[in-house]
Amino acid sequence: MTALEFGYAINNMTKSMKPFALRLTKDMEQANDLIQETVLKAFSNREKFSEGTNLKAWLFTIMKNTFITNYQRMVRRKTFIDTTENLHFINSTENIAQNSAYGSFAMADIVGQISKLDDVYKEPFMMHFRGFKYHEIAEKLEIPIGTVKNRIHIARKELKDALKIYA
């Protein structure tokens, strides 16, 4: 097939390529750009087309692959990649300004509310807060594990209700 015949055959196919391009891009201008890019790739790779094969299927495959490549390129462009050599700056708190007054007010309120809890609830709660497991608390306080879980739950609930202002 000569270049002129090939160009004529592709020109006849461009009208049938438009609906497929629109379905892929969902935008008329992007569809026209995709068709133009597909035709350009088809012309530049015309030696790879063997006569007797389905030209329409070949063009649609080029269009689909071009769309996928462009989409992947766009996604990569929007992805932020940190290229700094010193990654310790990411979690550095050296340059962070904090309002410690708010934190100390909140901490004072929390400690105050914990101290107001009944000892029955406060002791298992504080042990759990310090990292003890339920079964360790149950052994130390000599109470069933279900009671430990219940008392910790009640303590959390009372603290949550008392400290609603910080929610």
Side-chain angles (χ1 to χ4, degrees):
M1 182 180 292
T2 65
L4 191 59
E5 292 171 330
F6 189 75
Y8 180 75
I10 286 180
N11 190 36
N12 289 338
M13 293 287 172
T14 55
K15 287 184 178 117
S16 63
M17 292 167 59
K18 195 165 214 139
F20 185 62
L22 270 170
R23 203 170 330 129
L24 290 172
T25 62
K26 312 241 184 312
D27 180 58
M28 183 61 81
E29 286 188 29
Q30 288 180 358
N32 288 334
D33 290 344
L34 182 61
I35 291 169
Q36 190 174 22
E37 199 171 345
T38 302
V39 169
L40 178 67
K41 285 183 179 182
F43 270 118
S44 60
N45 293 302
R46 113 179 112 92
E47 70 279 349
K48 294 178 183 173
F49 178 74
S50 52
E51 231 178 302
T53 58
N54 188 348
L55 178 64
K56 186 175 182 179
W58 189 66
L59 289 170
F60 277 51
T61 302
I62 292 172
M63 182 183 294
K64 180 186 67 154
N65 291 340
T66 302
F67 174 76
I68 291 170
T69 303
N70 290 343
Y71 179 78
Q72 289 171 340
R73 191 176 298 139
M74 179 191 65
V75 168
R76 270 192 307 262
R77 225 181 286 139
K78 289 183 179 178
T79 303
F80 174 74
I81 299 172
D82 186 15
T83 57
T84 57
E85 291 180 25
N86 300 322
L87 295 177
H88 66 274
F89 288 122
I90 291 174
N91 295 324
S92 174
T93 57
E94 188 176 313
N95 296 324
I96 295 176
Q98 293 181 346
N99 184 353
S100 57
Y102 180 76
S104 44
F105 282 132
M107 200 60 198
D109 285 349
I110 292 169
V111 170
Q113 290 301 324
I114 290 174
S115 66
K116 290 180 183 177
L117 287 173
D118 286 339
D119 286 339
V120 175
Y121 303 117
K122 182 174 23 177
E123 194 172 0
F125 176 79
M126 289 308 295
M127 288 179 74
H128 183 67
F129 178 75
R130 290 186 188 111
F132 287 92
K133 305 285 185 221
Y134 289 128
H135 65 86
E136 295 171 333
I137 299 168
E139 287 175 15
K140 177 118 171 125
L141 299 178
E142 297 176 353
I143 55 177
I145 196 166
T147 306
V148 169
K149 290 179 180 180
N150 187 37
R151 289 180 181 175
I152 291 171
H153 172 75
I154 290 171
R156 284 180 178 159
K157 188 176 179 207
E158 285 184 18
L159 289 172
K160 185 178 173 184
D161 289 342
L163 299 167
K164 281 183 184 174
I165 192 167
Y166 297 108

